[in-house]
Amino acid sequence: DAKTTQPTSMDCAEGRAANLPCNHSTISGNEYVYWYRQIHSQGPQYIIHGLKNNETNEMASLIITEDRKSSTLILPHATLRDTAVYYCIVVRRNKTTMVGPGTYKYIFGTGTRLKVLA
Amino acid sequence: DVKVTQSSRYLVKRTGEKVFLECVQDMDHENMFWYRQDPGLGLRLIYFSYDVKMKEKGDIPEGYSVSREKKERFSLILESASTNQTSMYLCASSLRRNYGHTFGSGTRLTVV
């Protein structure tokens, strides 16, 4: 099963881009990279996901290397409200003995604690 | 916006009690999940369900069971609560299998 490795913590100045790296060197061809964040005492919030190509939405950009062994989440203009724990996870497909198609599991690591500084 | 609602924000139960944690989602999502979150361990999957009456064990199912009688509701049951089940419990749902999760706000359960 593909696992992810992220730095424990990072700081970023307000208004600057925050670049959060993630290593997933054992990722398989059909596994997606997802990013979530969790602000203290709330449930995790979905940010973005991708398979091979770079992705962008209103919250962030996701850059995936050509070999897919690592990715970077970019918050283009970090604000104080972006202070949170950011999780990079790989969606794992798991075959089941039950009738029906295979199901997906999410394995969360311990994430990166991003602190945006005023 | 999709809402995932967990019935309680904080809960205190005694050792040996049967505990029900309820979760409801309002956007007709196929998949629902229960996680627990502990300091230093991240989120760990307890059980998930990809259809009504269907369930699959996650990574740490011991001491838990689940029920999904209706598509919008996924219940986590602690048959006999123990102190090592003190944790933050998070429910999530997703529209389809490789779609992102939407999480609830969590239930902080303390077993004394």
Side-chain angles (χ1 to χ4, degrees), chain B residues 13-65:
Chain B
K13 296 291 181 180
R14 293 191 181 279
T15 302
E17 275 193 79
K18 189 168 186 175
V19 182
F20 292 87
L21 301 183
E22 305 287 349
C23 176
V24 176
Q25 49 96 0
D26 65 359
M27 285 299 288
D28 204 34
H29 281 182
E30 290 180 0
N31 306 296
M32 296 188 76
F33 308 81
W34 275 106
Y35 293 86
R36 62 177 284 177
Q37 184 174 29
D38 301 287
L41 297 177
L43 278 74
R44 293 180 292 166
L45 180 64
I46 304 172
Y47 266 99
F48 64 104
S49 167
Y50 56 87
D51 202 352
V52 176
K53 297 192 188 294
M54 306 298 264
K55 59 186 179 184
E56 279 208 29
K57 292 180 180 179
D59 298 310
I60 50 163
E62 295 79 22
Y64 303 95
S65 61

Side-chain angles (χ1 to χ4, degrees), chain B residues 31-100:
Chain B
N31 306 296
M32 296 188 76
F33 308 81
W34 275 106
Y35 293 86
R36 62 177 284 177
Q37 184 174 29
D38 301 287
L41 297 177
L43 278 74
R44 293 180 292 166
L45 180 64
I46 304 172
Y47 266 99
F48 64 104
S49 167
Y50 56 87
D51 202 352
V52 176
K53 297 192 188 294
M54 306 298 264
K55 59 186 179 184
E56 279 208 29
K57 292 180 180 179
D59 298 310
I60 50 163
E62 295 79 22
Y64 303 95
S65 61
V66 289
S67 171
R68 193 163 181 204
E69 297 296 319
K70 293 184 179 181
K71 193 173 185 179
E72 67 270 19
R73 186 179 297 270
F74 192 36
S75 303
L76 180 69
I77 303 154
L78 287 67
E79 295 290 339
S80 176
S82 63
T83 54
N84 63 11
Q85 292 178 310
T86 291
S87 185
M88 168 71 89
Y89 289 88
L90 290 159
C91 176
S93 71
S94 70
L95 179 61
R96 293 193 178 87
R97 287 183 183 85
N98 64 334
Y99 280 50

Side-chain angles (χ1 to χ4, degrees), chain A residues 86-104:
Chain A
Y86 286 77
Y87 295 98
C88 164
I89 65 171
V90 173
V91 176
R92 174 167 70 103
R93 184 181 177 119
N94 186 38
K95 289 187 178 179
T96 173
T97 56
M98 299 175 74
V99 172
T103 52
Y104 289 85

Side-chain angles (χ1 to χ4, degrees), chain A residues 10 18-24 33 35 48 54-55 60-65 70-75 88:
Chain A
M10 290 180 65
N19 296 288
L20 291 92
C22 179
N23 286 325
H24 31 80
V33 179
W35 283 84
I48 199 166
N54 298 339
E55 302 288 343
S61 294
L62 174 61
I63 308 299
I64 303 174
T65 57
S70 65
S71 61
T72 301
L73 178 75
I74 301 172
L75 307 178
C88 164

